[in-house]
Amino acid sequence: VDHFRRNPACKLLGVTATPKRADELAMGQVFESAAFDMGIEAAIDAGWLVPVRQRAVVVEGLDFSGVKSVAGDLSADEVERIVAQEKVLHQMAAPTVQIVGDLPTLVFCASVSHARLMAEVLNRYKPQSALSLDGTTPTEDRRRVVDRFRAGDLQFLCNCGLFLEGFDAPATAAVVMGRPTKSLALYTQILGRGTRPLPGVVDGLDAPEARREAIRGSAKPAMTVLDFVGNSGRHKIVSAADLLGGRYAEPVRQYARRVAADRGEAAVPQDVAADLEQATDELAVLQMWRELKRREAVKARAEFHARQVSPFAGGGAAFTQAADAPRGDPPTDKQVWYLVRRLGWRPEAARGLNKRQASAVISKAREA
């Protein structure tokens, strides 16, 4: 830039896919103004990208509260030590297989060794479905594996930062965040790998509504991002609510993030636009936020639980467990009555708990 600006007649145009730099240097130090800006959120609204559906999976024992920050993100070595544990690997792999079904899925991991371990564990749940690639993979082998993934012969492609830029596989319909990050730029790059429509779906369509309708009727009407939630302590872990909540007030985004962390529900603000229209003033939003804080003591603990419903739909919606999770004795009629009548749970959610979980929920509620 300095070289070309020696010519006073030189005009400078900068184009970037990721304007939020990891080193936090401002683009304004080089460019005087932004002529045009289209983020993922705007591109989804315009029908150029597919909608995002977040699934949040709560993993017991996933604790990043003691992890140090290095260069603005979590220490990669410390994160790897946590996520590469055998128990955590299974707690990530089992819900991944259950939630994404047969969707072509990119799995982003904390390290090369973590990617290899994830592929190995995924294959235990679904044989011959996963492979990992890294910088040491020979070029021809990498091309062969990627071609298999694009063709649908391979479902899970595990990697560590290998496919952040220039990776073209529109069939990718699910992205798994196998590593947490504090970097919005990194999260944006990862999420973007799954947002492209299938070839030819929106080509030649001039109106946004026409493009959105074409996407809804295609074989890829949306993409799924799977975030794993644990104890983040002082760290602010980025989620889909941060990336896709730009038009909403911070209390709304906080509410959505807390729902994802506490209940394992989808927390993309666009999914709850109709609800937000009824709570547009700040006071109403803050009241919802306080209500959620009050319910913090009323949490059921399970090996993992994942849901995809509106975070503003109220307590106890659609509680789901892994098929192989220990069920235990069902809750008593009295416990179900208390959960539904006193705590506002939905009947199907209350019956989804086992007796021990129901007892824990009720006890915490009474303590509160």
Side-chain angles (χ1 to χ4, degrees):
V1 170
D2 290 339
H3 170 78
F4 284 105
R5 276 189 166 169
R6 293 174 184 173
N7 178 356
C10 179
K11 304 297 182 183
L12 178 64
L13 172 67
V15 181
T16 178
T18 52
K20 297 181 184 299
R21 295 169 54 100
D23 60 13
E24 298 185 358
L25 290 177
M27 290 292 181
Q29 293 181 351
V30 178
F31 301 100
E32 297 174 358
S33 63
F36 180 77
D37 178 25
M38 176 177 279
I40 288 181
E41 185 180 11
I44 291 173
D45 288 344
W48 295 119
L49 299 179
V50 303
V52 176
R53 297 290 177 261
Q54 183 198 36
R55 300 298 297 270
V57 174
V58 179
V59 178
E60 297 295 334
L62 198 62
D63 189 348
F64 301 110
S65 59
V67 174
K68 290 181 288 189
S69 292
V70 178
D73 204 354
L74 298 175
S75 165
D77 292 340
E78 294 184 33
V79 168
E80 179 191 10
R81 189 184 70 251
I82 294 170
V83 297
Q85 299 176 66
E86 181 76 6
K87 180 180 179 181
V88 174
L89 286 167
H90 283 274
Q91 289 178 327
M92 288 183 171
T96 293
V97 170
Q98 179 183 349
I99 291 171
V100 305
D102 295 324
L103 298 177
T105 303
L106 283 178
V107 183
F108 286 85
C109 301
S111 66
V112 170
S113 61
H114 181 221
R116 292 171 180 170
L117 289 169
M118 273 298 293
E120 177 189 333
V121 176
L122 285 167
N123 282 326
R124 296 186 206 173
Y125 288 88
K126 199 169 185 179
Q128 300 182 342
S129 66
L131 283 175
S132 68
L133 293 176
D134 58 68
T136 66
T137 308
T139 302
E140 285 303 316
D141 291 345
R142 183 191 299 187
R143 184 178 294 114
R144 192 178 305 111
V145 171
V146 171
D147 286 344
R148 285 185 57 196
F149 179 75
R150 287 175 177 149
D153 295 332
L154 180 70
Q155 182 180 0
F156 297 103
L157 195 51
C158 303
N159 76 102
C160 174
L162 196 62
F163 301 128
L164 293 177
E165 299 174 354
F167 182 71
D168 182 18
T172 304
V175 170
V176 174
M177 285 294 299
R179 58 149 297 173
T181 181
K182 297 169 65 175
S183 169
L184 184 61
L186 176 60
Y187 191 97
T188 302
Q189 286 181 299
I190 291 175
L191 185 74
R193 299 313 92 197
T195 56
R196 182 171 296 184
L198 295 174
V201 170
V202 299
D203 294 352
L205 300 177
D206 295 329
E209 177 53 40
R211 291 191 292 268
R212 292 195 297 266
E213 184 62 31
I215 289 174
R216 282 193 291 269
S218 73
K220 182 183 172 182
M223 64 86 65
T224 297
V225 57
L226 185 55
D227 288 318
F228 293 101
V229 180
N231 177 21
S232 59
R234 68 187 185 281
H235 300 297
K236 169 62 185 69
I237 306 298
V238 175
S239 74
D242 300 290
L243 180 60
L244 301 174
R247 75 183 66 173
Y248 299 107
E250 178 58 22
V252 177
R253 297 197 297 272
Q254 288 181 348
Y255 186 97
R257 286 194 296 266
R258 185 59 65 92
V259 165
D262 287 352
R263 304 185 194 170
E265 295 179 352
V268 180
Q270 283 87 336
D271 292 344
V272 295
D275 300 301
L276 291 173
E277 287 176 2
Q278 301 175 16
T280 51
D281 66 86
E282 197 81 355
L283 179 60
V285 172
L286 288 172
Q287 286 174 339
M288 289 190 289
W289 169 244
R290 294 191 187 101
E291 173 64 13
L292 182 65
K293 293 282 287 184
R294 184 187 69 79
R295 294 187 182 186
E296 280 185 341
V298 191
K299 294 189 298 184
R301 292 292 183 184
E303 196 68 18
F304 75 81
H305 55 279
R307 285 179 277 174
Q308 187 174 12
V309 295
S310 164
F312 300 96
F319 188 97
T320 313
Q321 286 185 306
D324 57 351
R327 292 294 303 149
D329 295 330
T332 65
D333 291 341
K334 186 176 180 180
Q335 287 176 322
V336 172
W337 179 89
Y338 192 96
L339 289 167
V340 173
R341 295 294 184 180
R342 292 292 187 88
L343 302 184
W345 283 57
R346 294 177 181 173
E348 64 271 21
R351 296 190 188 96
L353 304 179
N354 61 35
K355 184 176 180 180
R356 179 182 58 80
Q357 292 167 338
S359 178
V361 169
I362 293 170
S363 295
K364 288 184 179 180
R366 285 173 173 168
E367 291 172 3

